[in-house]
Amino acid sequence: MKVLIATGKLAEMTVRSSVGDNADVLVLDVDVAAFITPHRLLSALKEEKGKYDVILVPGFASGDFTLVSKRLGCKVFLGPKHAYDIGNVLKFVDEVDLSLEIPACELLSDIWKELALESLVELESSADMLAMLGDVKLGGGSRMKVMAEIVDATGFEGDALSLKVTEFIKKGADIIDLGASLTASAKDVRNTVRVARKVSTVPVSIDTLDPDLLKAALDEGVDLVLSLNSSNIDIVGNDVAEAGVTAVVIPDAGNSFESLVHNIQAARDAGIANLIADPVLDPIGHGFVDSIVRYVRFHNEYPGMPIFFGAGNVTELIDADSIGVNATLCGLAAEVGSCILFTPEFSEKTRGSIAELNTGAKMMALALMRESSPKDLGLDLLVLKEKRRRPDVTIPEGSLSAKRFAGWELDPLGPFRIGIVSDECGGGIIVAEHEDVTVTGRTAKEVIDTIIKMGLISKLDHAGYLGCEIKKAEIALRLGRSYSQDDDL
């Protein structure tokens, strides 16, 4: 199959690099490829009728290119929105019917996701790094890693802690952070680290300033200590150095830049080789912008030092959906050279932050690789909004306005009580409880189909009502929300 790629002057080199020898490239007399029009394309190809089987025009191009297709006797499709992706689209030109209305990158979104994930694996395996934490690369060209804190981990029973560690890793945590409570003893810390290390497949850190608790965690083989400052470096610094453990260094009270630099030097003087700097991200309303400036300054002055970014300091202290907040924080973290994204999932509104930061980190890695903004990557953090709206319908003339029934009668076969059992990783079980049997399932369709098949409904209005409620329950599970029968979602 003979394929031609039409582009503009600015994108020429990117297109040629992406295409290689797999297609011809036509550079039109426009700077921006999106300004290519059917007329310009026809003018440039008037002598090329029958030469090509497929012509790909930029995904952002507008105009009716069907005329080009008819006159040149070939298929014309919208390519991807970004020149970098043309090479991937060419792999599917023979297999997928592309479109003149939808850019190829959107049409191939599912395939795009697979390609994006494959690219991330290759990127991570070949990336350089500033430091290693076990088998985990930190900084350099590797993607940012997510550290998930189990708040007051020392207060968990053994089985509960094991389940929480496993849950956080399943959600996408690259490092497990064990938060020590204010009343924790050295024995509590030893037990907690021991349990976590038995089940964890990722590095484990201890989160405390108490020197005795830090030493107890070191005794159990913890991989990282969080945190060191002037209050404990003199006491525990030599122990950390002898253990060869990585340490996060923070400033003293006030979070000054000079204090952070001083504490890093003190940690080095103690012989600690592997250090991560935490300039401390302050919450919005409490110095957030100043702290970002501090991060920028530190990264500029110490580009070879891995940086810790406490995203949870912001998400926990703002009443906004964590998805968009975490996406933005990932962008900020990437630009200031961060290697670790820290979060607890302490409050109900921040549930899902581990997975959100994991996806956000991958998006930033792909964007850096492509030298693009973090959009049209194959991965996204869009949950309630969408990139492309499906067309609305036209209301036919003479349509009837719907009216709600004034009342209802109990189904002779009995009522249902609907509820959900959510799990910690998204999703869960819909529970439809009848006087004779309880039906459970993960989707509304399988639950309502089972109810119908069992003959547990005898009235159409009851069937309609149940369909609405069970679908509400499914949506609640998908969004990680609570559900109560007959309440608005």
Side-chain angles (χ1 to χ4, degrees):
M1 177 178 284
K2 192 74 171 173
V3 181
L4 175 70
I5 311 297
T7 189
K9 296 175 183 177
L10 294 177
E12 177 181 359
M13 297 311 297
T14 304
V15 171
R16 291 191 186 278
S17 175
S18 182
V19 167
D21 298 326
N22 297 314
D24 291 343
V25 177
L26 172 67
V27 182
L28 279 79
D29 190 23
V30 293
D31 289 331
V32 180
F35 293 161
I36 292 174
T37 63
H39 175 73
R40 282 187 170 126
L41 189 57
L42 274 174
S43 297
L45 293 173
K46 55 188 175 184
E47 304 297 332
E48 305 291 344
K49 184 175 181 178
K51 182 176 180 180
Y52 296 103
D53 301 298
V54 173
I55 298 174
L56 292 182
V57 298
F60 283 117
S62 58
D64 185 1
F65 286 89
T66 55
L67 179 62
V68 179
S69 178
K70 291 177 182 177
R71 291 196 179 176
L72 297 181
C74 66
K75 297 178 180 179
V76 181
F77 299 125
L78 289 182
K81 293 179 178 179
H82 299 287
Y84 178 93
D85 294 317
I86 291 174
N88 286 330
V89 170
L90 288 176
K91 299 175 185 177
F92 303 99
V93 167
D94 288 334
E95 305 171 22
V96 179
D97 287 331
L98 300 179
S99 169
L100 263 178
E101 298 178 353
I102 304 170
C105 51
E106 295 183 12
L107 204 63
L108 299 170
S109 58
D110 289 341
I111 299 173
W112 231 245
K113 183 174 182 178
E114 294 178 16
L115 291 172
L117 293 174
E118 289 174 7
S119 295
L120 286 164
V121 172
E122 295 172 5
L123 179 67
E124 192 67 16
S125 64
S126 62
D128 61 344
M129 64 283 185
L130 298 178
M132 291 289 294
L133 187 63
D135 295 330
V136 177
K137 292 181 178 181
L138 299 178
S142 64
R143 70 166 173 84
M144 295 180 290
K145 304 306 188 297
V146 179
M147 177 188 282
E149 181 193 9
I150 301 175
V151 178
D152 290 340
T154 50
F156 278 66
E157 296 294 332
D159 289 344
L161 180 60
S162 295
L163 288 172
K164 184 61 72 172
V165 170
T166 303
E167 172 200 325
F168 277 12
I169 294 172
K170 186 176 180 181
K171 286 182 174 183
D174 300 290
I175 306 165
I176 294 295
D177 182 52
L178 303 172
S181 67
L182 295 176
T183 59
S185 66
K187 180 180 178 181
D188 294 332
V189 168
R190 289 191 186 95
N191 290 336
T192 299
V193 174
R194 194 177 302 127
V195 169
R197 285 183 60 81
K198 281 183 180 179
V199 297
S200 180
T201 56
V202 300
V204 173
S205 72
I206 184 67
D207 197 334
T208 180
L209 285 169
D210 187 310
D212 292 334
L213 302 188
L214 289 172
K215 289 180 180 180
L218 290 171
D219 290 341
E220 291 298 331
V222 77
D223 301 292
L224 181 146
V225 295
L226 172 69
S227 304
L228 301 183
N229 65 6
S230 66
S231 71
N232 57 21
I233 290 175
D234 290 343
I235 304 170
V236 79
N238 290 334
D239 298 275
V240 176
E242 289 177 8
V245 168
T246 301
V248 175
V249 181
I250 61 174
D252 295 333
N255 298 337
S256 73
F257 181 88
E258 292 73 21
S259 171
L260 175 60
V261 172
H262 178 270
N263 290 340
I264 289 172
Q265 187 57 52
R268 284 175 172 159
D269 291 344
I272 305 173
N274 304 314
L275 297 174
I276 298 171
D278 180 7
V280 180
L281 185 67
D282 293 316
I284 292 172
H286 296 276
F288 174 73
V289 173
D290 287 341
S291 66
I292 291 296
V293 172
R294 190 164 58 240
Y295 270 90
V296 172
R297 179 183 174 187
F298 188 89
H299 180 52
N300 288 339
E301 295 188 18
Y302 301 91
M305 174 74 73
I307 294 177
F308 181 100
F309 194 86
N313 296 353
V314 175
T315 53
E316 288 288 351
L317 293 173
I318 182 172
D319 280 344
D321 290 337
S322 62
I323 299 170
V325 176
N326 278 325
T328 303
L329 291 174
C330 281
L332 288 170
E335 291 204 7
V336 298
S338 305
C339 67
I340 290 178
L341 299 165
F342 172 86
T343 188
E345 287 194 0
F346 186 66
S347 65
E348 187 63 29
K349 67 174 186 277
T350 59
R351 282 182 62 187
S353 283
I354 296 169
E356 292 158 14
L357 289 172
N358 182 283
T359 299
K362 291 173 179 175
M363 290 171 62
M364 299 311 153
L366 287 169
L368 179 63
M369 179 181 72
R370 293 160 46 122
E371 298 181 350
S372 72
S373 297
K375 65 186 297 292
D376 305 321
L377 302 169
L379 300 177
D380 63 58
L381 282 168
L382 294 168
V383 175
L384 294 178
K385 297 198 174 183
E386 54 192 356
K387 289 174 66 69
R388 180 171 56 86
R389 186 179 179 86
R390 297 171 179 84
D392 294 342
V393 301
T394 301
I395 300 177
E397 292 185 13
S399 60
L400 298 176
S401 296
K403 294 182 180 179
R404 187 170 182 167
F405 288 156
W408 58 277
E409 295 180 358
L410 184 67
D411 191 321
L413 296 180
F416 278 85
R417 184 167 60 189
I418 311 300
I420 61 173
V421 179
S422 57
D423 62 41
E424 293 295 332
C425 296
I429 300 295
I430 302 165
V431 180
E433 195 175 349
H434 188 264
E435 58 188 19
D436 294 329
V437 65
T438 297
V439 179
T440 63
R442 292 192 175 272
T443 68
K445 180 169 175 51
E446 65 187 21
V447 172
I448 197 69
D449 283 354
T450 302
I451 289 172
I452 292 171
K453 187 175 182 179
M454 294 182 68
L456 299 174
I457 303 176
S458 65
K459 291 172 59 64
L460 289 177
D461 58 344
H462 190 206
Y465 164 80
L466 274 183
C468 292
E469 284 300 319
I470 294 172
K471 191 63 181 179
K472 275 168 52 182
E474 179 185 345
I475 293 170
L477 287 171
R478 289 176 61 186
L479 297 180
R481 294 185 66 101
S482 57
Y483 165 85
S484 180
Q485 189 169 349
D486 295 328
D487 284 353
D488 289 337
L489 183 62

